[in-house]
Amino acid sequence: MVHIKCSDGSDLSVPREHLLVSGTLSNMLAGLDLCLEVPLTKWCSDATEDTSVPLDFNNSTLSKVFQYCAHQFLKSAAAEDNEASSFDTDFVKDLDAETIVELIRAANFLDIRKLLDLLCRTLAETLVGMFFSCLPREKSNSWVSGKSPESIYQYFGVSPEVTPEDIETLKREYPWAIEES
């Protein structure tokens, strides 16, 4: 088991083989394996033999990511390879936009390509549904198909209007994007 320290202060214990689905954690664990001859406390002054791997994601996000990793590990062990599995459908079902975006951040950082692809596809389908909201629900598999623009704005927590404060914030945060005349 590998101990993961979440950003909210909680800890997770995850089977090492499940973490190998993550390119980032796989490389990190491989690096630690190379240093097994040297005790952990020799190269990290504040380490103990029970040092956790700190990750900048909360317990809820990491639990969901590691749930996906466990499934992928078991799926690869069973040599099953369905492109669109029922697990994937159930995994993204009932996720709100904020959770999807946080999971995308985690999947990207942890280099879990299949999860990243699944989440980006799900978010893209949601956004496409915003533009085709006039289609009947049965003709589109998007979450927001058939919903009013106002309910979509509410779902994503955005305002349909760009305020002068929004423009000033954008100018301050992205000065390189403003064309000088």
Side-chain angles (χ1 to χ4, degrees):
M1 294 296 252
V2 176
H3 301 285
I4 305 291
K5 185 78 161 173
C6 305
S7 63
D8 56 13
S10 62
D11 290 314
L12 290 171
S13 291
V14 183
R16 182 185 180 96
E17 57 272 6
H18 294 181
L19 297 181
L20 299 180
V21 172
S22 161
T24 302
L25 293 174
S26 179
N27 289 336
M28 184 184 299
L29 294 172
L32 286 175
D33 287 344
L34 292 175
C35 300
L36 282 181
E37 298 82 38
V38 180
L40 191 59
T41 53
K42 296 283 186 195
W43 58 274
C44 184
S45 61
D46 60 348
T48 66
E49 293 304 322
D50 192 32
T51 298
S52 298
V53 176
L55 292 175
D56 194 24
F57 300 99
N58 65 32
N59 186 300
S60 173
T61 300
L62 288 174
S63 294
K64 194 80 171 157
V65 167
F66 295 143
Q67 174 191 359
Y68 186 86
C69 289
H71 174 76
Q72 286 300 111
F73 174 77
L74 296 173
K75 180 178 162 183
S76 67
E80 168 193 333
D81 196 20
N82 296 343
E83 189 63 33
S85 74
S86 61
F87 175 83
D88 289 353
T89 304
D90 291 340
F91 186 81
V92 296
K93 187 175 141 184
D94 300 326
L95 292 178
D96 61 18
E98 185 178 330
T99 303
I100 292 173
V101 170
E102 190 63 18
L103 288 168
I104 287 173
R105 282 186 57 238
N108 184 50
F109 176 78
L110 295 171
D111 190 19
I112 306 170
R113 186 70 186 179
K114 287 184 179 184
L115 177 58
L116 185 60
D117 290 346
L118 171 66
L119 294 166
C120 287
R121 184 176 66 243
T122 302
L123 189 59
E125 288 172 355
T126 300
L127 296 173
V128 166
M130 294 169 74
F131 298 107
F132 296 104
S133 62
C134 58
L135 292 176
R137 183 77 174 157
E138 60 274 2
K139 295 203 176 183
S140 172
N141 61 358
S142 175
W143 296 339
V144 293
S145 179
K147 294 187 178 178
S148 69
E150 290 76 23
S151 64
I152 294 168
Y153 294 138
Q154 182 180 5
Y155 176 82
F156 284 103
V158 297
S159 169
E161 301 297 321
V162 178
T163 65
E165 293 83 22
D166 293 335
I167 293 171
E168 287 305 313
T169 300
L170 290 172
K171 285 180 181 177
R172 200 172 42 255
E173 290 180 8
Y174 306 103
W176 51 267
I178 308 300
E179 289 185 19
E180 297 292 328
S181 45

